[in-house]
Amino acid sequence: MRIAVDVGFGYTKAVNEAGKMVSFPSIVAPRAGGGIDIMGGDQDDYLVSLYSQGVRFGSYYIGDAGLINNGTRAWDENFAQNRNLKTLVATALALVGDRTPVSLAVGLPMAYYRNQKEEVKDGLAALDMDVLIEKHQIRRTVMVKDIVVYPQGAGVYYGAVLTPAGEIKDIELMQQSVGVIDIGHRTTDVMAMSRGRKGLTPREDMIGGFDYGMNAAIKQIKAIVDKVSQANIPIYWVEQALTWNQGILEYKGKRYNLKKFETQVYAQVAELIVASVKQKWGQELDRLSVILIAGGGG
């Protein structure tokens, strides 16, 4: 089975060849002693246990469950050596895969693709474990047969012109010069395809990444609420409030409405991204027929 997994700083996304898709926050929190469930019922959260040769070697809250249990994205370290990478990929494969082994395509942020794609490829090529996702009644063996690593911006383009099965769905777009702006959680990736003598060709000088995305907005909102509350509010509290609680942050008996800061802060981040794209692409920007904007910040 062919499966594509996009491991982002903000979200992990996956789709199989039949079009089945999943997306969840790239957040992992350990479950002490396997965890205790007091909620019951169906949840979108993922309670995941990983096994090797029948022996459990890890149990985690993943996605929304990870966020509510104060998990981390842990992306400050080397991407290929990130302790959450294999856990996130294995969970995604178990959720959308029903056959093994898997032909895996992995998308990486541009900042890491250039220097770490081979290390990521080697690390995930050896993926072989059993994955149990509780409450969803999923237990699958995850094994990778072969793997290709691609920049996430390229995934945006090919996702717009091809179906999950690889068939052309937009022939007109395939014949036009296209720019891609992929706004992620921590980075923004850009790339462009220009028409040349041999058809569409990637423009190396128009490919790059900027080290800011939606997390820059969350950090700015945190700075504002820190000043108003005269406290050092954990950034994941800010994200929880914006994601689940209509922007309301409760702290020491007071309620802070973070939504009223969003429009201003998002506009500032958008202006920063636009300025960076204009500087990167220059006058070539005016020759693009289409610009695709994607990602969690799109």
Side-chain angles (χ1 to χ4, degrees), residues 144-191:
V144 173
K145 176 176 64 175
D146 49 63
I147 181 171
V148 60
V149 180
Y150 62 91
Q152 289 173 348
V156 173
Y157 173 74
Y158 288 115
V161 299
L162 301 175
T163 68
E167 300 173 349
I168 298 174
K169 66 179 181 181
D170 194 333
I171 191 168
E172 182 179 357
L173 184 59
M174 288 191 70
Q175 297 172 343
Q176 295 177 305
S177 296
V178 177
V180 174
I181 303 174
D182 186 6
I183 307 170
H185 182 78
R186 204 184 88 177
T187 62
T188 296
D189 292 344
V190 298
M191 65 167 289

Side-chain angles (χ1 to χ4, degrees), residues 18-261:
K20 182 179 180 180
M21 305 176 69
V22 68
S23 175
F24 53 88
S26 299
I27 301 176
V28 177
R31 298 173 66 201
I36 299 175
D37 172 35
I38 62 174
M39 298 300 292
D42 295 331
Q43 299 181 48
D44 290 334
D45 306 335
Y46 300 125
L47 312 181
V48 178
S49 293
L50 305 179
Y51 296 80
S52 177
Q53 297 181 341
V55 178
R56 186 172 69 186
F57 64 88
S59 187
Y60 308 96
Y61 298 102
I62 293 179
D64 285 340
L67 181 58
I68 201 170
N69 283 280
N70 298 336
T72 64
R73 287 189 165 87
W75 293 117
D76 291 333
E77 57 196 271
N78 178 289
F79 196 100
Q81 299 298 324
N82 185 278
R83 61 183 179 272
N84 294 340
L85 180 60
K86 290 184 179 180
T87 301
L88 293 168
V89 172
T91 300
L93 292 179
L95 286 167
V96 301
D98 56 11
R99 299 193 305 276
T100 195
V102 169
S103 293
L104 176 63
V106 177
L108 295 182
M110 191 69 69
Y112 292 90
Y113 174 77
R114 294 180 185 275
N115 299 322
Q116 298 185 33
K117 61 180 178 180
E118 292 302 326
E119 191 175 356
V120 169
K121 182 177 180 179
D122 291 343
L124 293 178
L127 201 62
D128 184 358
M129 63 182 70
D130 290 329
V131 181
L132 171 65
I133 303 178
E134 299 175 25
K135 296 192 176 181
H136 291 69
Q137 298 182 338
I138 294 174
R139 181 160 191 163
R140 293 198 173 105
T141 297
V142 170
M143 182 186 302
V144 173
K145 176 176 64 175
D146 49 63
I147 181 171
V148 60
V149 180
Y150 62 91
Q152 289 173 348
V156 173
Y157 173 74
Y158 288 115
V161 299
L162 301 175
T163 68
E167 300 173 349
I168 298 174
K169 66 179 181 181
D170 194 333
I171 191 168
E172 182 179 357
L173 184 59
M174 288 191 70
Q175 297 172 343
Q176 295 177 305
S177 296
V178 177
V180 174
I181 303 174
D182 186 6
I183 307 170
H185 182 78
R186 204 184 88 177
T187 62
T188 296
D189 292 344
V190 298
M191 65 167 289
M193 307 279 285
S194 294
R195 291 190 62 82
R197 184 169 56 185
K198 297 182 179 180
L200 284 182
T201 305
R203 287 285 301 271
E204 183 68 25
D205 59 325
M206 297 174 71
I207 295 175
F210 315 123
D211 198 21
Y212 38 82
M214 293 309 297
N215 194 42
I218 296 174
K219 286 181 177 179
Q220 288 188 39
I221 294 173
K222 168 184 158 49
I224 294 172
V225 75
D226 281 355
K227 184 176 181 179
V228 172
S229 65
Q230 296 183 325
N232 182 17
I233 303 296
I235 194 166
Y236 56 84
W237 289 7
V238 175
E239 186 174 358
Q240 288 172 351
L242 293 171
T243 303
W244 299 329
N245 204 27
Q246 290 79 49
I248 301 299
L249 174 69
E250 297 175 327
Y251 180 71
K252 289 189 174 181
K254 295 184 179 180
R255 292 165 60 88
Y256 299 92
N257 184 2
L258 309 187
K259 282 287 185 182
K260 64 183 182 181
F261 308 128

